[in-house]
Amino acid sequence: MRIHILTLLLVFGLYNLAGAQPDRLINDQNFTRLAFASPGSHGLITTNRPQLHIENTPFYNENWLPGRVKIIGHDTFSRWAGVILELDKGELYVQLEEDFISNFPLRWVNLLQIDESGKITTFMVRDLFSDHNAGPKGHKFYEIIHLGEKYTLLKCHTKFLRKEDYVENLGMVRRPNKYMELYSYWVLAGNSLRPAGANKTAMKKAIPEKANRIDSYVKSKKLQLKKKEGLAQLMQLLEK
């Protein structure tokens, strides 16, 4: 059973076309391709799958969280709806109605915001390799740590399935496959994309023109770069 196109338009707040240019609209044909929905889709959203011998999940959030998206070509965010981020294949699940879940392709998404207990986290959705010939290939979720005039610092959230190909000696029980988290940091300086990290050495390599200032700020401000707040404060200081 497929959700009606009009329902999708209403859910994502795209039905108000005032002021929009015709060549920037998402038409019915596009939405037909996007609108995969099934009452049985809830089976995709599980916190554990022991029958498959898999620990952890590929999801950023194990439960539905309020989220909203800004579609490419549109200036405003959609209304809030339940979302789950899949970090292995790079997919976004949206809870359209109580019994409908839609897999919304990332190629349509510009920005994504989720509300984590009152704290808003903003993600930029990009294929950085396609844009800059560097960085991860394919559309990924990049948490915006800092967005400034000179620099943008992004944290890429991904997961991968670590497969165990051997059997343990004790009881001959196969160790379960396990989803592992993988993070990478990237600095955008103009058109230049540079690998970074949550430590002073990596940040100095990413922004060599500010290496001395990074040393000074980390020491004088006692910045903890392993924490998002410390990285954000450092980037704000480097904008000056």
Side-chain angles (χ1 to χ4, degrees):
M1 180 177 182
R2 291 181 176 274
I3 189 113
H4 194 275
I5 299 303
L6 178 58
T7 305
L8 276 174
L9 291 170
L10 291 173
V11 167
F12 287 102
L14 303 176
Y15 201 61
N16 181 4
L17 305 181
Q21 299 298 317
D23 60 341
R24 297 174 70 86
L25 300 182
I26 300 175
N27 59 37
D28 283 356
Q29 184 179 358
N30 289 332
F31 262 95
T32 300
R33 291 197 297 265
L34 292 175
F36 169 77
S38 168
S41 293
H42 286 289
L44 297 173
I45 312 300
T46 65
T47 57
N48 221 323
R49 287 178 278 185
Q51 71 279 11
L52 299 179
H53 304 288
I54 297 176
E55 288 186 356
N56 299 336
T57 72
F59 307 116
Y60 173 84
N61 48 306
E62 308 299 336
N63 300 303
W64 294 104
L65 289 176
R68 60 180 187 170
V69 298
K70 183 182 285 188
I71 305 299
I72 291 173
H74 292 261
D75 298 326
T76 59
F77 279 94
S78 70
R79 61 161 243 178
W80 293 92
V83 299
I84 282 183
L85 284 61
E86 204 278 0
L87 301 181
D88 181 18
K89 298 177 182 178
E91 295 177 337
L92 174 63
Y93 291 98
V94 180
Q95 193 174 34
L96 301 175
E97 294 179 2
E98 240 182 72
D99 58 348
F100 283 111
I101 297 170
S102 176
N103 180 337
F104 201 87
L106 296 190
R107 65 181 180 274
W108 287 104
V109 181
N110 181 14
L111 295 175
L112 164 69
Q113 289 186 333
I114 59 174
D115 185 344
E116 301 181 79
S117 301
K119 185 178 181 181
I120 304 299
T121 303
T122 302
F123 294 87
M124 181 186 294
V125 179
R126 292 289 187 279
D127 181 346
L128 289 184
F129 188 85
S130 177
D131 293 341
H132 301 278
N133 201 31
K137 293 183 179 181
H139 286 83
K140 307 289 183 184
F141 297 100
Y142 293 93
E143 181 182 354
I144 300 176
I145 305 298
H146 172 79
L147 181 62
E149 294 183 1
K150 297 179 181 178
Y151 304 106
T152 296
L153 178 60
L154 304 173
K155 180 180 181 180
C156 180
H157 291 261
T158 56
K159 286 190 176 184
F160 68 96
L161 183 61
R162 186 191 69 189
K163 295 184 178 180
E164 301 291 354
D165 296 325
Y166 61 90
V167 177
E168 292 198 20
N169 292 329
L170 295 178
M172 299 298 288
V173 176
R174 179 181 292 278
R175 289 179 58 182
N177 296 333
K178 186 176 183 179
Y179 276 105
M180 307 293 292
E181 298 182 25
L182 185 64
Y183 304 117
S184 60
Y185 293 83
W186 301 89
V187 168
L188 272 170
N191 259 338
S192 174
L193 178 67
R194 311 165 184 173
N199 59 76
K200 185 173 69 173
T201 300
M203 293 307 297
K204 288 168 64 175
K205 288 183 179 179
I207 315 177
E209 65 272 20
K210 298 290 181 70
N212 290 337
R213 292 181 62 183
I214 291 173
D215 275 328
S216 175
Y217 287 140
V218 171
K219 183 177 180 179
S220 63
K221 304 292 184 180
K222 299 180 179 179
L223 300 179
Q224 299 182 44
L225 300 187
K226 291 189 179 297
K227 295 184 178 181
K228 178 169 61 176
E229 295 77 13
L231 280 172
Q233 187 177 353
L234 174 63
M235 297 304 296
Q236 290 169 3
L237 291 168
L238 295 178
E239 291 283 346
K240 299 178 181 179

